[in-house]
Amino acid sequence: MRKMACLFVLLLFLVFNGNAQGIFKIHGSFTLLKKEMKVVLAYNLNHKEVRDSTVTRNGLFDFSGTVPSALPVKATLGFLALEDHPNTSYVEQLLKIDEQDFFIEKGTVLVKGSSKMNTAVITGGKTQQELLSLQGLKREERDKMLNLQDEMIPLLIQSQGFAIDSNKKVQAISAEMQPLVRKMREKEELFIKTHPDSYVTLDLVAQRSRMMRTGSFTKMLSGLSPRLRNSKSGKEMLRRLSVEKQTAIGVKAMDFSEPDADGNIISLDAFKGKYVLLNFWASWSEASRGENLDLLTLYLQFKNKGFEILSVSLDADREKWLNAVGEDHLIWPQLSDLRGWNNKAAQVYAITSVPKNFLIGPDGRIVGKDLFGEALLEKLEEVLR
């Protein structure tokens, strides 16, 4: 009797697990692929990156796996050379990335192309078909963009990314790209309005949330279907929109407290009476480390004129954090609870990228946001005359 009960429980578990997961298969076929390539599949599942790879055989490849059956999962497929050429620079590797985003759902995904992944046609479930509709809307502009990129990439490789702002040919190509980018964005916004219940729309809105403009973004978010607004992603964007409104110019900065390297608890409100740059950064962020040099110069220039910097690190490794503080000569207050992206202050200010900063006046109100380099220098010269 006990064996029967155990068998029944096991059967229920297997049935539940089968219903909770959706099996997917991906089959790729490239008719003009002359050499074997490494194929990389990447996607996020339950806040963890999943990566898988295989090698083409006569232009063919296959993947299989499981995803939550109820939701589509955004993924990327890319081609890589089987062996890196020893003289290939990092800039060249970056510029020659050949990949395409798509959506995985339960069932079969077909990838058909000639020799390049970024021009392949990917078909699959309902959400992928909706993505194909969007790609069809943008095809004319996208094809022109790809042709212009093919012109620009050799120039960038030749210069290794340096002096591109003075290269007349690069400037001319860039000028041709700008109206195409605007047109594609307009077509994406039309898709958002006409497909309020599509996961493609949810993804497009999420992309725009990274550089959120509260007025237009509020309208965009409210245009989503109730189902998508109440999804996990929808609720997170709503939370960030709320924070964005709370960190608008003229609004009182939200207080928080975090430990410094010695364990002393420091609060933002302790700096009232000064102009304070609340700076979010991380030791692993190259952009942050580059910005630190400018901050050190500005700190030495203005620290005796009522200016202070309060840096919050999104590090999880204490040693790497403190090593970076020492290497970059950061002589102003440094805080971190060593929780990475779950940093308490970063959650309060809805930080999704670093570096990120807020300039706060002596009265505790925000007077500037995302001020870097010359923009920060000009603002400090204006308020600290």
Side-chain angles (χ1 to χ4, degrees):
M1 196 71 170
R2 188 174 296 172
K3 285 184 179 178
M4 185 70 75
C6 289
L7 185 61
F8 180 68
V9 170
L10 180 61
L11 184 62
L12 281 177
F13 173 78
L14 291 173
V15 170
F16 174 78
N17 234 28
N19 288 336
Q21 298 290 321
I23 297 173
F24 71 84
K25 294 183 179 181
I26 300 174
H27 177 68
S29 176
F30 285 75
T31 56
L32 299 179
L33 201 59
K34 296 180 181 179
K35 58 182 179 179
E36 293 181 350
M37 298 288 287
K38 183 178 181 180
V39 192
V40 178
L41 170 67
Y43 55 95
N44 285 301
L45 204 57
N46 299 322
H47 303 291
K48 293 182 179 180
E49 185 183 38
V50 178
R51 291 182 71 86
D52 197 0
S53 64
T54 188
V55 176
T56 60
R57 293 287 183 265
N58 298 318
L60 306 176
F61 66 85
D62 290 283
F63 288 100
S64 63
T66 58
V67 291
S69 59
L71 299 173
V73 175
K74 189 177 182 182
T76 303
L77 271 173
F79 277 149
L80 291 175
L82 285 181
E83 294 183 4
D84 291 332
H85 193 282
N87 295 324
T88 302
S89 68
Y90 175 73
V91 171
E92 185 171 350
Q93 292 176 38
L94 199 62
L95 290 169
K96 287 189 173 182
I97 288 175
D98 180 17
E99 62 185 18
Q100 184 175 164
D101 292 337
F102 69 109
F103 286 91
I104 302 175
E105 294 171 274
K106 179 181 177 181
T108 300
V109 174
L110 298 177
V111 186
K112 295 183 178 182
S114 54
S115 61
K116 297 185 71 174
M117 185 65 75
N118 65 7
T119 56
V121 176
I122 305 178
T123 57
K126 178 176 180 291
T127 304
Q128 182 59 24
Q129 292 306 117
E130 291 169 344
L131 180 59
L132 284 175
S133 296
L134 174 60
Q135 290 174 346
L137 283 176
K138 301 190 297 180
R139 181 166 291 116
E140 181 181 350
E141 291 79 16
R142 185 172 181 274
D143 288 347
K144 291 178 181 178
M145 281 288 291
L146 289 174
N147 289 333
L148 290 171
Q149 285 175 16
D150 287 342
E151 282 187 61
M152 184 180 281
I153 285 173
L155 298 172
L156 298 178
I157 291 173
Q158 184 180 11
S159 67
Q160 288 297 293
F162 293 106
I164 57 174
D165 57 337
S166 60
N167 186 307
K168 292 183 179 179
K169 181 62 176 176
V170 170
Q171 288 179 330
I173 295 173
S174 179
E176 286 187 68
M177 286 180 169
Q178 289 172 17
L180 296 174
V181 171
R182 285 195 296 270
K183 191 66 177 178
M184 286 194 290
R185 190 173 179 86
E186 289 172 7
K187 290 185 175 181
E188 287 175 354
E189 290 174 358
L190 175 63
F191 185 93
I192 289 170
K193 291 177 183 177
T194 55
H195 296 76
D197 196 47
S198 169
Y199 281 100
V200 177
T201 293
L202 185 65
D203 179 64
L204 289 171
V205 175
Q207 290 176 36
R208 282 155 175 75
S209 73
R210 295 167 191 160
M211 296 293 288
M212 194 179 288
R213 295 178 177 86
T214 56
S216 59
F217 190 78
T218 299
K219 186 176 180 181
M220 196 174 291
L221 193 58
S222 63
L224 293 177
S225 69
R227 182 176 73 96
L228 294 186
R229 282 202 307 274
N230 290 318
S231 68
K232 187 174 182 179
S233 177
K235 288 179 179 178
E236 173 59 18
M237 286 190 285
L238 188 61
R239 184 188 76 82
R240 287 172 51 206
L241 176 61
S242 175
V243 171
E244 191 71 19
K245 291 178 178 178
Q246 292 176 61
T247 58
I249 305 297
V251 174
K252 186 180 182 302
M254 295 174 284
D255 189 30
F256 64 86
S257 299
E258 281 203 8
D260 64 13
D262 297 320
N264 302 311
I265 302 301
I266 310 294
S267 71
L268 175 61
D269 277 356
F271 295 86
K272 277 188 176 178
K274 293 184 175 182
Y275 279 94
V276 181
L277 185 74
L278 174 57
N279 175 55
F280 291 92
W281 74 293
S283 68
W284 41 260
S285 164
E286 291 184 13
S288 293
R289 302 295 295 273
E291 190 64 27
N292 283 343
L293 180 60
D294 287 341
L295 289 182
L296 179 58
T297 302
L298 292 175
Y299 184 70
L300 293 173
Q301 182 178 348
F302 292 102
K303 70 184 181 72
N304 294 324
K305 298 181 180 180
F307 176 61
E308 186 59 88
I309 302 176
L310 181 63
S311 284
V312 178
S313 169
L314 273 65
D315 276 281
D317 187 307
R318 176 182 173 83
E319 185 177 357
K320 290 180 179 178
W321 167 44
L322 295 181
N323 283 344
V325 169
E327 289 169 3
D328 295 354
H329 307 290
L330 308 185
I331 54 178
W332 53 86
Q334 301 290 325
L335 310 181
S336 182
D337 57 15
L338 299 176
R339 295 171 60 190
W341 285 107
N342 293 318
N343 177 282
K344 180 182 175 182
Q347 293 292 305
V348 169
Y349 281 81
I351 302 302
T352 59
S353 63
V354 288
K356 176 87 174 178
N357 65 44
F358 302 85
L359 183 61
I360 302 164
D363 60 355
R365 296 186 179 276
I366 296 170
V367 297
K369 297 169 61 173
D370 296 324
L371 298 168
F372 302 104
E374 288 293 324
L376 179 57
L377 171 62
E378 290 175 6
K379 188 66 176 179
L380 291 177
E381 287 178 336
E382 173 191 329
V383 299
L384 295 172
R385 291 174 181 171

